[in-house]
Amino acid sequence: MLLVSIVVQIVSGLKLFLRKRKTARGFFEKLHIRSGLYLAFFFVIHLSAIMVGRYVLNIDTNFYFGVSGLNTFPFNLFFIPYYACAILAFFGHVAAIHHSKMQQPILGLSPYFQSIAILFVGVLTTIFIFYGLTDGFVGVEIPSPYQF
C-alpha cells in the first residue's frame, strides 16, 4: 500500500507539473511546482535504492542504510545535497500550499510571512538533522554491514 501511494504521488505530481509549469506566477507558485518535481525525483531514486539494497544487496534497508551514505566519502558528495534538498523541498511544498490556501493572518503575520516562517523551520530542521546524522558533528556509529 505504501509503494502504491508513493507511485500515485509521483504520477499525479508529474501530471500537475506538466499542466502548471508554464502558468505559475510568483515565488510560491513556482516553488510549489519545482519542489513537487524534486520530491518526485527523490521518491524515484529513494525507492530504487531501497529495492536494490533489500533485494539485490540483501541488506536490511533501515536507518543505518541511509546514514551510511551521509558519512562515507565520496558517497556523501551525493547524499548530503540529495537529502538536504528533499527536506527543503518538503517544507517548500508545504509552505507553497499554505500560501495558496491561507487567507487570514495568524498572530499578526500575513500568509506570506507565515509561509516564509515554514521555509525557515525547514532550514533549521535540515541543519539539526545533519548535525545529528553526520560524522563530523555528533556522529552515528555505523555497523560493519553498512560500511563501504
Side-chain angles (χ1 to χ4, degrees), residues 8-24 29 32-34 36-37 40 93 97:
V8 167
Q9 288 290 318
I10 292 169
V11 171
S12 64
L14 291 174
K15 284 182 180 180
L16 285 169
F17 170 78
L18 291 173
R19 188 169 10 134
K20 295 186 174 190
R21 71 176 187 245
K22 294 184 180 180
T23 61
E29 283 187 47
H32 192 197
I33 62 167
R34 291 174 183 163
L37 184 63
H93 212 61
I97 293 167

Side-chain angles (χ1 to χ4, degrees), residues 49-94:
I50 289 170
M51 294 303 168
V52 167
R54 185 163 292 258
Y55 298 112
V56 175
L57 302 175
N58 295 316
I59 297 175
D60 185 11
T61 53
N62 58 19
F63 170 78
Y64 297 110
F65 182 73
V67 172
S68 64
L70 290 173
N71 291 290
T72 306
F73 183 81
F75 302 113
N76 58 357
L77 297 176
F78 171 78
F79 283 109
I80 289 174
Y82 167 74
Y83 282 124
C85 287
I87 297 166
L88 294 171
F90 171 78
F91 278 92
H93 212 61
V94 170

